Amino acid sequence: MNVLPEPRPGQLLLLAAPRAASEKMLAFTARLAQAGRLRVVDGGNRFNVYLLARLAGRLKRETLHETLGRVWFARAFTCFQMAALLEQIPATPDPTLVIDFLNTFYDESVPLAERRRVLEACLRHLRRISHPAAVVVSVRPPPPPHADPTGLLDAVQAAADLVWYPDLPSAALPLKLF
């Protein structure tokens, strides 16, 4: 299944994939912007407005400015900025997408206990925002076989109503010469 499940109001959907599934999130943003207003928060500097414009232009023949005008966008560069942005978002029926949410929390210059405290505050804000509207959060898990030693990914997974790992193409088998 490579299609993002349709989130419902009151639901916190977590998408865990390499590169935080930034292309899937942009395609989802374009589709949602066709239908109405939405909010996008970028924690990993992965939001590409040019690709979004191209994707939005393919979906429907409507004024591109109208579609892009429905997208409220903000970028966080620290976990503290992420918390401040999420705190400012009102609980409205507009869906919220958070791209590469945990990226700002992997800053080792912030003590782990502080990052966990800020993450818990962010998760409370995401839950509050999700009551009237769907919230989709993407994260980039560590590559196998490594685990997340900080436990931050586990905390986000525990808070989510649905965790989705998109089907990834299987690695090509090595060719045998003989």
Side-chain angles (χ1 to χ4, degrees):
M1 174 169 87
N2 280 325
V3 177
L4 187 66
E6 196 65 38
R8 297 184 317 262
Q11 185 178 57
L12 179 58
L13 172 64
L14 177 64
L15 170 60
R19 294 183 313 280
S22 56
E23 288 183 25
K24 285 186 186 308
M25 291 292 277
L26 282 172
F28 193 58
T29 300
R31 194 173 91 216
L32 288 176
Q34 297 274 318
R37 296 180 332 162
L38 73 144
R39 300 166 292 216
V40 178
V41 178
D42 182 4
N45 200 18
R46 296 190 178 278
F47 191 79
N48 182 335
V49 73
Y50 298 110
L51 180 57
L52 175 63
R54 204 168 52 221
L55 291 168
R58 283 188 210 156
L59 290 175
K60 190 176 179 184
R61 293 291 173 211
E62 140 181 320
T63 307
L64 186 58
H65 292 288
E66 287 179 24
T67 301
L68 295 178
R70 294 184 190 119
V71 179
W72 175 88
F73 170 73
R75 182 171 282 143
F77 294 98
T78 69
C79 61
F80 302 107
Q81 289 176 348
M82 179 65 76
L85 285 171
L86 294 176
E87 182 179 16
Q88 293 172 10
I89 295 176
T92 66
D94 302 327
T96 301
L97 307 179
V98 183
I99 301 171
D100 207 356
F101 174 57
L102 285 178
N103 185 61
T104 61
F105 289 88
Y106 290 133
D107 178 1
E108 293 179 354
S109 68
V110 178
L112 182 56
E114 183 69 3
R115 289 183 275 157
R116 286 184 177 150
R117 183 192 67 74
V118 174
L119 178 64
E120 288 301 319
C122 286
L123 293 174
R124 283 192 302 276
H125 291 305
L126 289 170
R127 181 59 59 202
R128 173 186 55 79
I129 296 165
S130 76
H131 283 294
V135 173
V136 179
V137 175
S138 75
V139 295
R140 179 177 25 125
H146 307 292
D148 176 17
T150 64
L152 299 173
L153 179 59
D154 292 336
V156 177
Q157 288 175 328
D161 296 308
L162 176 64
V163 179
W164 184 59
Y165 295 91
D167 291 340
L168 302 174
S170 57
L173 296 175
L175 297 174
K176 295 184 180 181
L177 296 175
F178 300 101

